[in-house]
């Protein structure tokens, strides 16, 4: 069995900056010997992603713009990746969006448009991406997405994103069933709160982290490196019997009543 990821290629979607969980995942996969392919939403994120990748001690990473709200853009991106690298062995989907104004107050006030937008970018995109990526996973593969406890339970202020994560979790399971016959596994990591660009502007993030310090079994918030190492496990053959699963990397917080 091969624990190293040498000779393998992984697509990482959603690196925004050095704090991104996607970047923690990229680093762990890189440390295990993987070649990386990065996608970013638009030109605003191109330089940050290229600059970060330049800090890795190999220079064969590849970069593509991919607007996940467009089926054509997704198909084109994976067509380009296929032409440039041929086979991929896994993909990390680290993408979500909801309107800032719908991430506080009452879920009751969610707009039809805001609901659809959060579902489209945060949940449907996994299905659209999996459909295109599967054709490049001719040696089997592992797809992973990032979810959050707010999709399983009510978490104050998470609102429309909670409903989108519930949808993402179910999307992950249905895809796991469809893709298993091709040797492609699909799983999710439910990360505890980490101060990323996504958490920016969240009212009292300090209070959220304090609660983790006080109430989680491990008594500390998780790091992107911890999430990255679980991603490495899910991308490697060590997890060959695992699909359709949500692994909580949250210092155990989810078990507490
Ligand atoms: C209970 C909480 C805190 C409240 C909710 C936070 C939800 C965050 C998720 C979404 C994806 C954040 C988001 O879409 C922000 C955008 O409205 C504005 N930001 C942007 O447009 C930036 C520039 C780009 C890069 O961001 C995106 N997403 O494109 C949850 C927290 C305790 C945990 C947490 C922060 C969870 C999570 O899902 O990220």
């Amino acid at each position: 069995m091969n624990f190293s990821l040498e000779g393998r290629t992984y697509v990482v979607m959603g690196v925004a900056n050095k704090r991104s969980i996607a970047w923690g995942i990229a680093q762990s996969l890189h440390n295990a010997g993987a070649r990386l392919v990065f996608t970013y939403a638009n030109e605003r994120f191109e330089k940050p992603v290229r600059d970060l990748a330049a800090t890795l001690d190999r220079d064969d990473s590849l970069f593509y713009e991919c607007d996940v709200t467009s089926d054509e853009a997704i198909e084109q991106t994976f067509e380009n990746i296929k032409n440039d690298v041929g086979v991929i062995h896994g993909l990390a989907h680290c993408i979500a969006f909801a309107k800032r104004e719908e991430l506080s107050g009452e879920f009751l006030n969610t707009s039809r448009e805001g609901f659809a937008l959060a579902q489209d970018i945060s949940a449907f995109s996994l299905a659209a991406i999996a459909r295109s990526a599967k054709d490049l996973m001719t040696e089997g593969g592992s797809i992973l997405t990032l979810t959050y406890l707010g999709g399983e339970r009510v978490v104050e202020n998470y609102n429309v994103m909670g409903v989108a994560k519930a949808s993402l979790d179910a999307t992950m399971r249905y895809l796991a069933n469809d893709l298993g016959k091709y040797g492609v596994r699909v799983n999710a990591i439910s990360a505890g709160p980490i101060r990323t660009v996504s958490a920016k502007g969240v009212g009292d993030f300090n209070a959220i982290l304090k609660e983790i310090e006080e109430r989680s079994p491990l008594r500390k918030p998780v790091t992107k490196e911890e999430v990255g190492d679980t991603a490495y496990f899910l991308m490697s053959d060590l997890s060959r019997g695992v699909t359709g699963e949500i692994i909580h990397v949250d210092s155990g917080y989810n078990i507490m009543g």
Side-chain angles (χ1 to χ4, degrees):
M1 207 191 333
N2 193 6
F3 302 154
S4 160
L5 301 183
E6 251 153 70
R8 296 195 186 178
T9 303
Y10 294 86
V11 178
V12 179
M13 310 181 77
V15 175
N17 63 28
K18 67 172 197 287
R19 292 174 173 233
S20 296
I21 296 174
W23 180 239
I25 293 173
Q27 286 175 303
S28 288
L29 301 182
H30 167 78
N31 291 340
R35 180 186 193 184
L36 299 175
V37 172
F38 294 93
T39 78
Y40 49 87
N42 54 57
E43 72 272 11
R44 187 181 142 193
F45 294 104
E46 178 170 1
K47 189 168 158 29
V49 173
R50 283 183 182 270
D51 289 351
L52 279 169
T55 67
L56 302 172
D57 57 7
R58 64 189 291 166
D59 59 5
D60 59 356
S61 302
L62 293 170
F63 308 87
Y64 305 86
E65 182 173 314
C66 185
D67 169 9
V68 302
T69 63
S70 156
D71 288 337
E72 294 70 41
I74 292 171
E75 284 161 22
Q76 190 59 59
T77 301
F78 284 89
E79 188 64 38
N80 293 341
I81 296 174
K82 189 177 184 178
N83 290 335
D84 295 342
V85 305
V87 179
I88 63 168
H89 302 88
L91 177 147
H93 170 275
C94 313
I95 295 171
F97 186 83
K99 292 180 174 191
R100 179 53 76 198
E101 66 267 27
E102 299 195 345
L103 296 168
S104 62
E106 295 190 349
F107 170 71
L108 194 62
N109 296 322
T110 303
S111 67
R112 186 181 295 270
E113 188 211 342
F115 187 99
L117 183 67
Q119 289 283 337
D120 187 34
I121 300 184
S122 314
F124 177 73
S125 67
L126 179 68
I129 288 162
R131 187 154 62 218
S132 287
K134 150 186 175 283
D135 296 334
L136 285 70
M137 295 184 176
T138 50
E139 298 172 7
S142 172
I143 296 175
L144 82 84
T145 187
L146 295 178
T147 190
Y148 180 60
L149 189 62
E152 301 174 64
R153 310 185 189 160
V154 174
V155 172
E156 209 73 27
N157 296 321
Y158 203 59
N159 297 354
V160 70
M161 266 314 298
V163 179
K165 289 300 193 189
S167 168
L168 176 70
D169 295 352
T171 298
M172 177 276 291
R173 287 187 288 267
Y174 277 90
L175 289 171
N177 182 45
D178 288 347
L179 298 180
K181 55 183 169 294
Y182 305 110
V184 175
R185 300 182 289 108
V186 191
N187 294 285
I189 293 177
S190 181
I194 298 179
R195 201 182 289 279
T196 62
V197 69
S198 186
K200 225 170 156 184
V202 169
D204 204 351
F205 204 73
N206 284 335
I208 295 171
L209 292 181
K210 189 156 175 275
E211 158 112 354
I212 302 296
E213 275 163 22
E214 287 171 356
R215 296 196 58 240
S216 71
L218 295 178
R219 300 288 196 279
K220 58 180 175 54
V222 292
T223 63
K224 69 178 191 306
E225 287 75 19
E226 290 168 349
V227 177
D229 285 348
T230 296
Y232 165 33
F233 161 74
L234 285 173
M235 294 302 194
S236 79
D237 297 346
L238 285 172
S239 61
R240 65 199 178 282
V242 181
T243 195
E245 182 76 321
I246 299 175
I247 301 186
H248 294 84
V249 181
D250 67 346
S251 294
Y253 183 77
N254 74 96
I255 68 172
M256 303 306 291

